[in-house]
Amino acid sequence: MPLARYFLYVGGVLLTLLLAANAGLPKPPPAVETAAYLPTIRIHSARKWPERIVFDTSAPMVRVAQAADSAVVNPPAPPPPAGVLPPDLREALAQMQPLDVSPPQSAKQAKPAPKPQRRLARNHSPRPVLLAERRTQSGWFGQTDW
């Protein structure tokens, strides 16, 4: 166990040097608490935020009942009788182009015969066998297998 012996000797030497340096070197001065005497740090940003929004809560609220009463006073106009269209809708319908739509085919009409499907013969040749050989190394490092 040469590795364990190495760590034992090197660790012991380093510990001895640490203890010798602690005894021989002068002690550092005690830390002075300066947290009480630090100035206040104020950070100012160059970014300008939008103005504050002030909601006026002293204004009276709108009552929903008042809005409903005004709707009852002015009832909507009755719809036109069936079959009568407003003039603008009649003009829009008159300007439409007819669609080229054929009438729907009934189920009784003959369906076209399906096209015969061609079957192609499949090639069932075996897959090629890949052979690989591990070559031995030759040259400066001798005859070794990797």
Side-chain angles (χ1 to χ4, degrees):
M1 298 235 261
L3 189 63
R5 190 180 307 157
Y6 169 78
F7 282 118
L8 180 68
Y9 286 134
V10 171
V13 169
L14 289 175
L15 183 63
T16 305
L17 285 174
L18 184 64
L19 292 174
N22 189 25
L25 293 176
K27 304 279 184 205
V32 179
E33 291 191 28
T34 58
Y37 301 109
L38 288 177
T40 304
I41 298 174
R42 293 191 174 106
I43 300 174
H44 295 286
S45 175
R47 185 176 202 178
K48 299 295 181 189
W49 294 98
E51 293 294 323
R52 183 174 60 165
I53 298 174
V54 179
F55 292 105
D56 186 15
T57 57
S58 62
M61 292 182 55
V62 178
R63 297 189 58 191
V64 179
Q66 290 176 350
D69 291 340
S70 64
V72 173
V73 172
N74 298 329
V84 178
L85 296 176
D88 55 346
L89 186 58
R90 274 186 280 160
E91 291 295 324
L93 288 174
Q95 293 178 6
M96 287 181 58
Q97 298 295 326
L99 298 176
D100 294 333
V101 178
S102 61
Q105 295 180 356
S106 65
K108 295 178 182 178
Q109 289 180 351
K111 294 182 181 177
K115 294 182 181 178
Q117 295 181 354
R118 293 181 5 187
R119 292 192 151 211
L120 299 176
R122 293 184 182 170
N123 187 3
H124 291 290
S125 62
R127 291 185 179 177
V129 178
L130 299 177
L131 300 175
E133 178 184 357
R134 181 178 287 200
R135 305 268 176 150
T136 58
Q137 182 182 7
S138 62
W140 292 20
F141 300 108
Q143 301 290 334
T144 58
D145 289 335
W146 290 89

